[in-house]
């Protein structure tokens, strides 16, 4: 769970004081306890079957993906071993669009704070399993009614207009979220690029973390530097057909956390 939490794909998952993790996805709340490789999900069995099992991509054999890494690719093997607990979450499409619009030129700590702010101000109030208040993710219809700069007090800065204009595009039917779910990767990516503020990297993140299109391979500064240092001829995409995004996450997490860990040892 720690690896998933710190992998940069979700921003409403956090470590609690008791060592468990809490996850808020859309309007849903979950706590997870991990002991070794065993995880206990504190939720109704029906919720686990209908939502969380898919959310955590529990039916996919990630060990099999790692086993397909070429033995001579020492860097990728090291990255995959370091991040072997990561799973690609299947998250809400609207939430991912907003999250990755906010992520531009931003760091994970600030992104989490921005999202917490807009949820507290514009999301529906809910109660968790302990009776404590948490907030659902604000609906597009709510954010579409705002002035373009209305989210600046939530620390979004210039990204405020990205989110508000995108919400309007979705509410007005310029981009149909339901239709996106049935599109193939290239088609979905092209459709997402129509949204104000969505560039190639953001579109790829949405395709990977919401639409679960594993051929998406988002390239940010961390990934670009890793590719330049380790793949002079380019990353061997063809070798990892249907799992490129999984390999991207191993590389991203290793660059973000693995190097840091090496520096501290």
């Amino acid at each position: 769970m720690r690896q998933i939490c710190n992998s940069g794909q979700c921003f409403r998952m956090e470590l609690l004081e008791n060592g468990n993790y809490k996850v808020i996805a859309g309007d849903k709340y979950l706590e997870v306890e991990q002991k070794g490789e065993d995880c206990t999900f504190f939720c109704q069995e029906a919720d686990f079957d209908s939502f969380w099992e898919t959310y955590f991509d529990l039916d996919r054999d990630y060990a099999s993906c790692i086993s397909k890494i070429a033995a001579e690719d020492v860097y990728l093997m090291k990255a995959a071993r370091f991040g072997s607990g990561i799973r690609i979450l299947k998250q809400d499409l609207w939430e991912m669009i907003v999250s990755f619009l906010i992520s531009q030129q931003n760091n994970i700590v600030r992104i989490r704070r921005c999202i917490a702010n807009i949820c507290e101000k514009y999301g529906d109030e809910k109660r968790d399993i302990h009776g404590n208040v948490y907030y659902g993710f604000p609906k597009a219809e709510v954010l579409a009614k705002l002035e373009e700069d209305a989210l600046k007090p939530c620390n979004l800065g210039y990204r405020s207009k990205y989110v508000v204009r995108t919400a309007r595009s979705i509410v007005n039917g310029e981009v149909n979220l339901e239709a996106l779910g049935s599109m193939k990767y290239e088609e979905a990516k092209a459709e997402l690029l129509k949204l104000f503020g969505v560039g190639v990297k953001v579109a790829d993140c949405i395709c990977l973390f919401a639409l679960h299109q594993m051929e998406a391979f988002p390239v940010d500064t961390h990934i670009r530097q890793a590719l330049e240092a380790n793949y002079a001829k380019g990353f061997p995409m063809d070798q990892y057909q249907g799992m490129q995004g999984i390999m991207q996450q191993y590389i991203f997490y290793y660059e973000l956390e693995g190097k840091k860990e090496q520096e501290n040892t």
Side-chain angles (χ1 to χ4, degrees), residues 107-122:
N107 62 55
I108 291 175
V109 173
R110 286 194 60 200
I111 298 165
R112 286 175 174 161
R113 187 66 252 161
C114 289
I115 291 172
N117 288 342
I118 65 170
C119 289
E120 288 169 15
K121 189 161 186 179
Y122 299 105

Side-chain angles (χ1 to χ4, degrees), residues 39-264:
C39 291
T40 302
F41 293 77
F42 294 96
C43 62
Q44 296 293 323
E45 187 172 351
D47 286 341
F48 177 82
D49 292 340
S50 65
F51 185 82
W52 295 112
E53 186 173 19
T54 301
Y55 180 88
F56 282 101
D57 199 25
L58 295 180
D59 287 336
R60 191 183 305 273
D61 185 354
Y62 281 78
S64 175
C65 296
I66 292 175
S67 73
K68 293 179 171 61
I69 296 174
E72 62 271 18
D73 193 339
V74 176
Y75 171 79
L76 186 55
M77 186 63 75
K78 188 186 296 184
R81 285 173 178 160
F82 183 77
S84 62
I86 293 173
R87 311 188 75 83
I88 306 296
L89 304 179
K90 191 175 192 311
Q91 301 177 80
D92 178 75
L93 179 54
W94 165 241
E95 184 170 340
M96 288 300 95
I97 290 171
V98 175
S99 297
F100 284 99
L101 280 172
I102 292 172
S103 76
Q104 298 178 83
Q105 303 298 316
N106 221 338
N107 62 55
I108 291 175
V109 173
R110 286 194 60 200
I111 298 165
R112 286 175 174 161
R113 187 66 252 161
C114 289
I115 291 172
N117 288 342
I118 65 170
C119 289
E120 288 169 15
K121 189 161 186 179
Y122 299 105
D124 293 333
E125 186 176 302
K126 303 285 182 180
R127 295 279 172 176
D128 65 23
I129 56 177
H130 309 292
N132 300 318
V133 171
Y134 73 94
Y135 297 90
F137 199 83
K139 295 175 175 58
E141 291 79 6
V142 173
L143 299 185
K145 295 175 182 176
L146 302 176
E147 296 294 326
E148 288 191 358
D149 290 339
L151 298 176
K152 283 188 174 181
C154 296
N155 295 332
L156 268 68
Y158 67 88
R159 304 169 195 84
S160 176
K161 64 178 179 291
Y162 292 173
V163 173
V164 173
R165 288 192 195 178
T166 291
R168 290 173 184 167
S169 294
I170 288 165
V171 170
N172 294 337
E174 294 167 30
V175 173
N176 186 318
L177 297 191
E178 286 188 20
L180 274 168
S182 60
M183 292 178 186
K184 292 184 178 179
Y185 165 58
E186 292 294 349
E187 186 183 3
K189 183 175 177 178
E191 194 69 10
L192 287 165
L193 287 170
K194 295 177 182 178
L195 294 171
F196 184 72
V198 172
V200 172
K201 191 268 286 189
V202 168
D204 272 328
C205 287
I206 297 165
C207 285
L208 183 58
F209 304 128
L211 300 176
H212 240 205
Q213 293 167 330
M214 297 298 177
E215 59 267 56
F217 192 94
V219 177
D220 70 345
T221 302
H222 296 290
I223 296 293
R224 185 173 293 107
Q225 290 174 347
L227 297 184
E228 289 172 355
N230 299 283
Y231 299 97
K233 296 180 180 179
F235 187 77
M237 297 290 184
D238 292 344
Q239 189 174 327
Y240 302 107
Q241 282 295 326
M243 63 182 82
Q244 297 98 315
I246 295 173
M247 300 305 156
Q248 186 272 358
Q249 272 292 275
Y250 292 145
I251 294 171
F252 180 83
Y253 183 70
Y254 183 67
E255 291 296 312
L256 199 67
E257 297 289 330
K259 302 289 183 70
K260 193 188 303 180
E261 198 167 287
Q262 287 178 354
E263 291 171 2
N264 294 332

